[in-house]
Amino acid sequence: MQHKYYFNLYVLILGGLTIFTSCKDKKTELPPPEIQVIKVIKKDVPLSREFVGQVYGFQDIPIRARVEGYLLGVHFEEGYPVKKGQLLYTIDAQPFETQVASMDSKVAEARTYLVNAENELARYKPLAEINAVSKSDLDAAQASRDAALSSLDAAEANLRMSQIQLGYTRISSPIDGLIGKTEARTGEFVGREPNPVILNVVSDISKMRVEFFLTEAEYLIIARDFKQNVSEDGTVDRKNPKNRENLTLILADGTTYEEKGSVQFLGRAIDSETGSILVQATFNNTRGLLRPGMYAKVRVEFEIAENALLVPQKCVTELQGRYSVFVIDEGNIVKSKQVEVSDRIGDLWLIRSGLTENEQVLIDGLQKVATGMEVKPVVTKYESKISEN
């Protein structure tokens, strides 16, 4: 019985070893997993930077009450276009009409004095030639005539001033443009603080100004490429084709404005308090979409990276400021490589160093692989969201 027990035990152990060996052999025979990879993208890409800017009308002209008085009329519809010379406001003109009448009477009085003085001088001149009157009498007559002429000139100047003041009671639009909300209504006293002085603003929105600021460091980066676009006097060379419509406007809802813009001018100096410099750009506003006061991002293309190497951002992992990707070597073995990234180009990273053009980079299953693992790479084409130039 004892021999039979040991025999059965031997058979069980042998069978178990056979099964274990068979399972191990099956495990080692499993094929390597399929992993999607892409080839490093090589292309010329524009490098750009974005800056927060504010939109203004090409002209934003305040409508001021230049004389004091009660507002008699508002002659436009708020928020609608107005034409150059169109009547906008009228102010009570009676005090100014009275002033004009008073100045007119003084002009008439001065003319009368001048006529009398000239007649007196004309009578003295022949008498002085025959010594019938003294030279001092002639000089006095001449002085009276000159004083009367000066008085007339002063009276006429005062009349013109009073007429100008009267003209200010009718306020017209200085340009074609869009008018805003009125700051005063009929019956209000205007033209003196704290009463309204600026009654409205008319904006020319056929073109729009967009102002934004560059830090000193950003200015230096862009200026090195922009230097070729500047005239000898330091102003923007508008005849240079590079300065025409090379700016893109990103609106507050994230959409791209349909028309390109161009740099109008650079500020004279770096602001010592903020360390920044003003840049003003212009954009056509054909459809009237842009309005003064809007905020938008200005994308400035300042360089073309030729033969740049790009990979999707999802291929790159970051740990403590270091970036790496998984690549496939010649034996289909996964290998981790550290890379140096530069700018974000849409959904891609611009790779400054660490990769070559022909390398294959893992795009999916990054959490399922490890360095040294054998895989079966499946090359796929990545459709980037950036536009093709």
Side-chain angles (χ1 to χ4, degrees), residues 348-374:
L348 304 175
W349 269 119
L350 175 62
I351 303 300
R352 184 174 296 172
S353 63
L355 287 178
T356 59
E357 176 183 355
N358 298 320
E359 288 189 282
Q360 295 179 342
V361 180
L362 271 68
I363 191 171
D364 284 323
L366 273 64
Q367 292 79 17
K368 301 177 182 178
V369 299
T371 299
M373 180 177 174
E374 183 181 358

Tab-separated table of all heavy atoms in Angstrom, residues 348-374:
chain	number	residue	atom	x	y	z
A	348	LEU	N	-0.224	70.827	-30.994
A	348	LEU	CA	1.085	70.206	-31.157
A	348	LEU	C	2.122	70.905	-30.294
A	348	LEU	O	1.980	72.070	-29.945
A	348	LEU	CB	1.528	70.253	-32.626
A	348	LEU	CG	0.594	69.640	-33.666
A	348	LEU	CD1	1.135	69.892	-35.067
A	348	LEU	CD2	0.420	68.147	-33.432
A	349	TRP	N	3.159	70.163	-29.952
A	349	TRP	CA	4.346	70.731	-29.319
A	349	TRP	C	5.430	70.879	-30.379
A	349	TRP	O	5.679	69.958	-31.171
A	349	TRP	CB	4.876	69.820	-28.219
A	349	TRP	CG	4.343	70.056	-26.837
A	349	TRP	CD1	3.634	69.174	-26.069
A	349	TRP	CD2	4.512	71.222	-26.029
A	349	TRP	NE1	3.335	69.715	-24.846
A	349	TRP	CE2	3.865	70.978	-24.793
A	349	TRP	CE3	5.121	72.449	-26.234
A	349	TRP	CZ2	3.826	71.915	-23.767
A	349	TRP	CZ3	5.082	73.386	-25.217
A	349	TRP	CH2	4.444	73.128	-23.995
A	350	LEU	N	6.086	72.015	-30.378
A	350	LEU	CA	7.290	72.187	-31.191
A	350	LEU	C	8.465	71.647	-30.394
A	350	LEU	O	8.732	72.097	-29.280
A	350	LEU	CB	7.505	73.660	-31.530
A	350	LEU	CG	8.788	74.023	-32.281
A	350	LEU	CD1	8.828	73.346	-33.637
A	350	LEU	CD2	8.906	75.528	-32.448
A	351	ILE	N	9.138	70.642	-30.962
A	351	ILE	CA	10.247	69.982	-30.268
A	351	ILE	C	11.548	70.676	-30.642
A	351	ILE	O	11.932	70.722	-31.815
A	351	ILE	CB	10.306	68.489	-30.630
A	351	ILE	CG1	8.983	67.802	-30.290
A	351	ILE	CG2	11.454	67.809	-29.892
A	351	ILE	CD1	8.598	67.868	-28.837
A	352	ARG	N	12.207	71.210	-29.632
A	352	ARG	CA	13.466	71.900	-29.871
A	352	ARG	C	14.626	70.920	-29.993
A	352	ARG	O	15.533	71.108	-30.805
A	352	ARG	CB	13.721	72.890	-28.735
A	352	ARG	CG	14.965	73.754	-28.931
A	352	ARG	CD	15.068	74.796	-27.831
A	352	ARG	NE	13.945	75.733	-27.875
A	352	ARG	CZ	13.710	76.637	-26.948
A	352	ARG	NH1	14.484	76.715	-25.880
A	352	ARG	NH2	12.688	77.458	-27.061
A	353	SER	N	14.635	69.870	-29.187
A	353	SER	CA	15.699	68.862	-29.240
A	353	SER	C	15.194	67.574	-28.607
A	353	SER	O	14.230	67.578	-27.832
A	353	SER	CB	16.965	69.355	-28.515
A	353	SER	OG	16.694	69.549	-27.135
A	354	GLY	N	15.866	66.467	-28.940
A	354	GLY	CA	15.540	65.176	-28.338
A	354	GLY	C	14.940	64.189	-29.304
A	354	GLY	O	14.902	62.985	-29.011
A	355	LEU	N	14.437	64.624	-30.449
A	355	LEU	CA	13.844	63.745	-31.449
A	355	LEU	C	14.434	64.030	-32.819
A	355	LEU	O	14.934	65.125	-33.079
A	355	LEU	CB	12.324	63.940	-31.509
A	355	LEU	CG	11.480	63.393	-30.366
A	355	LEU	CD1	10.011	63.718	-30.582
A	355	LEU	CD2	11.673	61.888	-30.195
A	356	THR	N	14.359	62.993	-33.677
A	356	THR	CA	14.765	63.157	-35.064
A	356	THR	C	13.560	62.930	-35.960
A	356	THR	O	12.511	62.433	-35.523
A	356	THR	CB	15.885	62.167	-35.435
A	356	THR	OG1	15.411	60.822	-35.224
A	356	THR	CG2	17.118	62.398	-34.578
A	357	GLU	N	13.724	63.269	-37.220
A	357	GLU	CA	12.599	63.275	-38.144
A	357	GLU	C	11.965	61.901	-38.329
A	357	GLU	O	10.745	61.771	-38.449
A	357	GLU	CB	13.074	63.828	-39.496
A	357	GLU	CG	12.023	63.811	-40.576
A	357	GLU	CD	12.572	64.304	-41.901
A	357	GLU	OE1	13.747	64.736	-41.934
A	357	GLU	OE2	11.817	64.242	-42.887
A	358	ASN	N	12.763	60.828	-38.364
A	358	ASN	CA	12.253	59.511	-38.731
A	358	ASN	C	11.775	58.673	-37.550
A	358	ASN	O	11.365	57.526	-37.745
A	358	ASN	CB	13.346	58.739	-39.481
A	358	ASN	CG	13.736	59.430	-40.777
A	358	ASN	OD1	12.873	59.948	-41.489
A	358	ASN	ND2	15.033	59.456	-41.088
A	359	GLU	N	11.806	59.208	-36.345
A	359	GLU	CA	11.424	58.410	-35.188
A	359	GLU	C	9.907	58.255	-35.100
A	359	GLU	O	9.146	59.109	-35.546
A	359	GLU	CB	11.960	59.047	-33.907
A	359	GLU	CG	13.471	58.896	-33.766
A	359	GLU	CD	13.965	59.331	-32.403
A	359	GLU	OE1	14.062	60.554	-32.193
A	359	GLU	OE2	14.236	58.456	-31.558
A	360	GLN	N	9.511	57.089	-34.509
A	360	GLN	CA	8.104	56.793	-34.286
A	360	GLN	C	7.782	57.016	-32.814
A	360	GLN	O	8.472	56.520	-31.928
A	360	GLN	CB	7.788	55.353	-34.685
A	360	GLN	CG	7.967	55.076	-36.178
A	360	GLN	CD	7.660	53.634	-36.523
A	360	GLN	OE1	7.646	52.783	-35.654
A	360	GLN	NE2	7.413	53.376	-37.799
A	361	VAL	N	6.691	57.771	-32.571
A	361	VAL	CA	6.330	58.171	-31.220
A	361	VAL	C	4.979	57.553	-30.866
A	361	VAL	O	4.041	57.564	-31.671
A	361	VAL	CB	6.248	59.710	-31.115
A	361	VAL	CG1	5.865	60.141	-29.706
A	361	VAL	CG2	7.580	60.337	-31.511
A	362	LEU	N	4.880	56.987	-29.663
A	362	LEU	CA	3.619	56.424	-29.205
A	362	LEU	C	2.598	57.538	-28.995
A	362	LEU	O	2.901	58.555	-28.385
A	362	LEU	CB	3.814	55.664	-27.888
A	362	LEU	CG	4.182	54.169	-28.011
A	362	LEU	CD1	5.569	54.005	-28.593
A	362	LEU	CD2	4.051	53.463	-26.673
A	363	ILE	N	1.364	57.289	-29.483
A	363	ILE	CA	0.307	58.276	-29.315
A	363	ILE	C	-0.825	57.761	-28.442
A	363	ILE	O	-1.585	58.531	-27.871
A	363	ILE	CB	-0.234	58.730	-30.690
A	363	ILE	CG1	-1.146	59.946	-30.519
A	363	ILE	CG2	-0.954	57.599	-31.415
A	363	ILE	CD1	-1.552	60.601	-31.811
A	364	ASP	N	-0.966	56.436	-28.328
A	364	ASP	CA	-2.003	55.845	-27.489
A	364	ASP	C	-1.393	54.788	-26.579
A	364	ASP	O	-0.342	54.209	-26.880
A	364	ASP	CB	-3.105	55.203	-28.349
A	364	ASP	CG	-4.021	56.239	-28.959
A	364	ASP	OD1	-4.305	57.236	-28.274
A	364	ASP	OD2	-4.448	56.060	-30.117
A	365	GLY	N	-2.086	54.523	-25.467
A	365	GLY	CA	-1.658	53.478	-24.550
A	365	GLY	C	-0.402	53.803	-23.786
A	365	GLY	O	0.364	52.890	-23.430
A	366	LEU	N	-0.149	55.074	-23.502
A	366	LEU	CA	1.070	55.445	-22.798
A	366	LEU	C	1.111	54.853	-21.393
A	366	LEU	O	2.197	54.600	-20.864
A	366	LEU	CB	1.200	56.970	-22.729
A	366	LEU	CG	1.883	57.682	-23.916
A	366	LEU	CD1	1.070	57.512	-25.194
A	366	LEU	CD2	2.086	59.165	-23.632
A	367	GLN	N	-0.068	54.620	-20.770
A	367	GLN	CA	-0.095	54.064	-19.414
A	367	GLN	C	0.090	52.543	-19.416
A	367	GLN	O	0.289	51.939	-18.366
A	367	GLN	CB	-1.422	54.411	-18.728
A	367	GLN	CG	-1.619	55.886	-18.423
A	367	GLN	CD	-2.055	56.673	-19.648
A	367	GLN	OE1	-2.508	56.090	-20.639
A	367	GLN	NE2	-1.910	57.993	-19.583
A	368	LYS	N	0.007	51.918	-20.599
A	368	LYS	CA	0.075	50.461	-20.675
A	368	LYS	C	1.459	49.941	-21.044
A	368	LYS	O	1.673	48.725	-21.113
A	368	LYS	CB	-0.931	49.952	-21.707
A	368	LYS	CG	-2.369	50.333	-21.396
A	368	LYS	CD	-3.302	49.856	-22.497
A	368	LYS	CE	-4.740	50.280	-22.235
A	368	LYS	NZ	-5.649	49.842	-23.335
A	369	VAL	N	2.391	50.835	-21.313
A	369	VAL	CA	3.714	50.402	-21.761
A	369	VAL	C	4.772	50.857	-20.772
A	369	VAL	O	4.520	51.707	-19.913
A	369	VAL	CB	4.035	50.953	-23.166
A	369	VAL	CG1	3.034	50.460	-24.193
A	369	VAL	CG2	4.041	52.477	-23.141
A	370	ALA	N	5.936	50.291	-20.920
A	370	ALA	CA	7.078	50.665	-20.091
A	370	ALA	C	8.342	50.481	-20.913
A	370	ALA	O	8.362	49.752	-21.914
A	370	ALA	CB	7.131	49.831	-18.822
A	371	THR	N	9.389	51.146	-20.490
A	371	THR	CA	10.669	51.034	-21.188
A	371	THR	C	11.116	49.575	-21.234
A	371	THR	O	11.053	48.854	-20.232
A	371	THR	CB	11.718	51.895	-20.484
A	371	THR	OG1	11.300	53.263	-20.505
A	371	THR	CG2	13.066	51.770	-21.179
A	372	GLY	N	11.540	49.114	-22.414
A	372	GLY	CA	12.013	47.749	-22.588
A	372	GLY	C	10.950	46.781	-23.057
A	372	GLY	O	11.263	45.628	-23.388
A	373	MET	N	9.717	47.221	-23.109
A	373	MET	CA	8.611	46.348	-23.521
A	373	MET	C	8.580	46.222	-25.045
A	373	MET	O	8.769	47.193	-25.769
A	373	MET	CB	7.298	46.936	-23.011
A	373	MET	CG	6.079	46.145	-23.358
A	373	MET	SD	4.601	46.935	-22.604
A	373	MET	CE	3.318	45.917	-23.308
A	374	GLU	N	8.332	44.995	-25.545
A	374	GLU	CA	8.219	44.767	-26.984
A	374	GLU	C	6.774	44.970	-27.416
A	374	GLU	O	5.843	44.487	-26.768
A	374	GLU	CB	8.666	43.349	-27.353
A	374	GLU	CG	8.623	43.093	-28.862
A	374	GLU	CD	9.034	41.678	-29.224
A	374	GLU	OE1	9.383	40.912	-28.312
A	374	GLU	OE2	8.992	41.340	-30.421
